[in-house]
Amino acid sequence: MAEKLLEINNLHVEYKTDEAVVYAVNGLDLTVNRGETIGLVGETGAGKTTTALSIMRLLPERIGYIKDGSIKLENKDIIRATEADMRLIRGESVSMIFQDPMTSLNPILTVGEQISEVLELHKKNMSKAEKSKRVDEILELVGLPALRKKDYPHQFSGGMKQRVVIAIALACEPKLLLADEPTTALDVTIQAQVLEMMKDLKEKINTAMILITHDLGIVAQTCDRVAIMYAGEIIEIGTAEDIFEGKDHHPYTVGLFGSIPDMKKTSKRLSPIEGLMPDPTNLPDGCKFHDRCPKCMEICKTKNPDVFLEGMHSIKCHLYSLN
Ligand code: SF4
C-alpha cells in the first residue's frame, strides 16, 4: 500500500489587508504519497501557489495566515512547528522551485556557492571536500558540467538557470518537491528538456512532487494524479487516467479541456469558460463555480456541493451527489 508523505486536511488560508480579507484557500484536502507526482491545475488565483507556500510556511508575513486545518509531513505538524524546526524541514524534507529562475538566484554568488549554502545548513557533518564533491554531482545530475560551479547566474541561459534552481532544490534529496510553474519562463524546447530531467531525477531519488501548472499538456506527460483547483478548493481529483480518459467530470474541468485545441478535430473556435473567477474577498454562496456553470441548478446557488467519490476519483458537484 502507498505510504502517505503529506496530508492536508481542511486547509483555510487568508490574506488580510486594510481593505478586505482574501479567502485564498477554502477547505482543501490533499494527500501525497511517497514518490508520487501530483499536478495542481487551475487558473491564476485558484490558490495553487498559496497552498504550496502554506506547506513551506512561507506565506507573506503579517498579511498571509493559515486560518484553519492541518498540514502533516511525515506525521509532523507543519503548522505548529517552530521557525527553527521549519528551517531544518525546508530544503531537507521539502523544497520549492519558484516560478521565475531569473529572480530565484543570488546574482553576487557563484552557482556552486548557492548549492553549497543548502548543504552547509542541512549537512553539518559533511566535510568541505564532501560538500564540493556533492556540488559537482548535483550539477552533473541536472545536466550541467561541474566546472561551471565557479560561474555566476548571469553567465547562464534561462534553461540553465532553471537547472541550477532545480539543483539547489534537490541538493539534500528532499522527500517532497513543490514545483511552481517550473517551466513557464522557458521556451518550449528547453521546457521539454527540463521536464524530462525532472522526471528522471524523481525516479532516481524517489522524490514526491506537487507540480503547479495551468498547462494540462505538462500534467499529462508527468503526473500520476491530477487535482483541479477553483476558487481555493479542489473540485476534482483523480488519477491522470481518470482526468484525461474518464467520462465523468466537474463542469469546470470540462471547460478547461474545451479551452485547449484538439489536433484530431476540426473546429473554427475554442470553447473557453465564460466569465471570471469569483472575487476572493466576496465568494458566492453555494457552489463557487455556479455563475459560470452551464449546468447550474437552483440548489447550486445556495448549497455547497458534497464530494462524490468513486475509487480514487472525486468530484465536488451536485450533478453527481444527486445521482
Ligand atoms: Fe455546476 Fe452546480 Fe456542479 Fe457547481 S454544483 S459545478 S454549479 S452543476
Side-chain angles (χ1 to χ4, degrees):
M1 200 176 133
E3 197 188 337
K4 277 182 199 167
L5 175 67
L6 175 79
E7 217 178 340
I8 304 180
N9 282 309
N10 192 33
L11 182 69
H12 288 256
V13 185
E14 297 176 1
Y15 295 104
K16 204 173 206 163
T17 66
D18 289 343
E19 288 84 40
V21 177
V22 174
Y23 300 97
V25 175
N26 303 297
L28 180 134
D29 296 313
L30 182 68
T31 302
V32 183
N33 297 320
R34 279 185 201 277
E36 183 182 40
T37 299
I38 294 201
L40 210 51
V41 181
E43 288 168 81
T44 304
K48 309 181 300 289
T49 300
T50 297
T51 303
L53 292 175
S54 305
I55 299 168
M56 293 293 280
R57 280 261 310 272
L58 286 177
L59 289 164
E61 265 183 59
R62 288 188 283 276
I63 57 163
Y65 56 92
I66 295 172
K67 174 84 178 163
D68 201 2
S70 68
I71 303 176
K72 287 193 177 148
L73 184 69
E74 296 187 296
N75 270 326
K76 187 171 176 58
D77 187 342
I78 294 277
I79 297 177
R80 274 160 202 88
T82 62
E83 196 40 52
D85 282 343
M86 281 314 297
R87 272 197 289 276
L88 295 177
I89 290 170
R90 287 184 212 117
E92 187 157 11
S93 297
V94 51
S95 273
M96 185 157 173
I97 302 171
F98 292 90
Q99 281 183 20
D100 186 357
M102 318 303 162
T103 53
S104 303
L105 294 170
N106 187 334
I108 58 165
L109 292 180
T110 65
V111 301
E113 285 166 338
Q114 296 189 54
I115 300 170
S116 289
E117 268 188 339
V118 190
L119 299 172
E120 297 283 337
L121 193 67
H122 297 290
K123 304 280 176 198
K124 296 207 186 314
N125 294 335
M126 261 189 182
S127 67
K128 216 172 161 192
E130 282 169 334
K131 280 181 199 138
S132 172
K133 190 164 165 255
R134 178 72 186 137
V135 171
D136 294 357
E137 277 168 10
I138 197 88
L139 277 173
E140 276 168 9
L141 196 67
V142 298
L144 292 172
L147 50 89
R148 302 274 334 244
K149 67 181 173 186
K150 295 200 169 76
D151 291 341
Y152 289 87
H154 73 270
Q155 294 170 287
F156 291 82
S157 68
M160 288 164 119
K161 275 190 204 137
Q162 190 59 309
R163 283 169 189 262
V164 174
V165 170
I166 293 169
I168 294 170
L170 293 177
C172 293
E173 304 193 348
K175 291 164 189 126
L176 176 64
L177 183 63
L178 308 172
D180 190 358
E181 306 270 9
T183 56
T184 305
L186 308 176
D187 67 57
V188 181
T189 45
I190 306 293
Q191 204 175 70
Q193 284 172 22
V194 169
L195 282 173
E196 199 49 45
M197 182 199 74
M198 285 174 69
K199 227 161 112 182
D200 279 0
L201 293 176
K202 200 185 82 73
E203 273 153 31
K204 271 184 203 147
I205 58 180
N206 196 33
T207 293
M209 178 158 69
I210 297 181
L211 177 63
I212 297 174
T213 180
H214 55 263
D215 187 331
L216 285 164
I218 290 178
V219 170
Q221 284 171 43
T222 34
C223 297
D224 304 309
R225 281 194 299 143
V226 185
I228 314 280
M229 278 192 86
Y230 186 80
E233 296 178 334
I234 289 180
I235 46 96
E236 179 165 355
I237 182 166
T239 61
E241 204 181 340
D242 291 330
I243 304 295
F244 287 93
E245 312 278 340
K247 62 177 180 24
D248 291 330
H249 292 296
H250 190 282
Y252 177 68
T253 312
V254 175
L256 277 185
F257 278 95
S259 317
I260 306 171
D262 186 338
M263 305 299 275
K264 294 184 198 138
K265 283 189 199 152
T266 318
S267 59
K268 290 209 171 100
R269 295 185 83 93
L270 296 175
S271 334
I273 306 167
E274 299 290 336
L276 295 171
M277 188 120 63
D279 175 359
T281 64
N282 184 23
L283 291 169
D285 288 339
C287 169
K288 294 181 181 61
F289 185 57
H290 80 249
D291 57 353
R292 300 172 80 185
C293 179
K295 303 227 163 131
C296 179
M297 303 168 282
E298 269 318 300
I299 187 174
C300 307
K301 296 177 188 168
T302 52
K303 188 173 181 287
N304 198 13
D306 294 327
V307 173
F308 165 82
L309 180 69
E310 193 172 33
M312 290 178 70
H313 187 194
S314 70
I315 303 176
K316 193 172 191 284
C317 171
H318 286 305
L319 283 177
Y320 298 96
S321 49
L322 292 178
N323 282 339

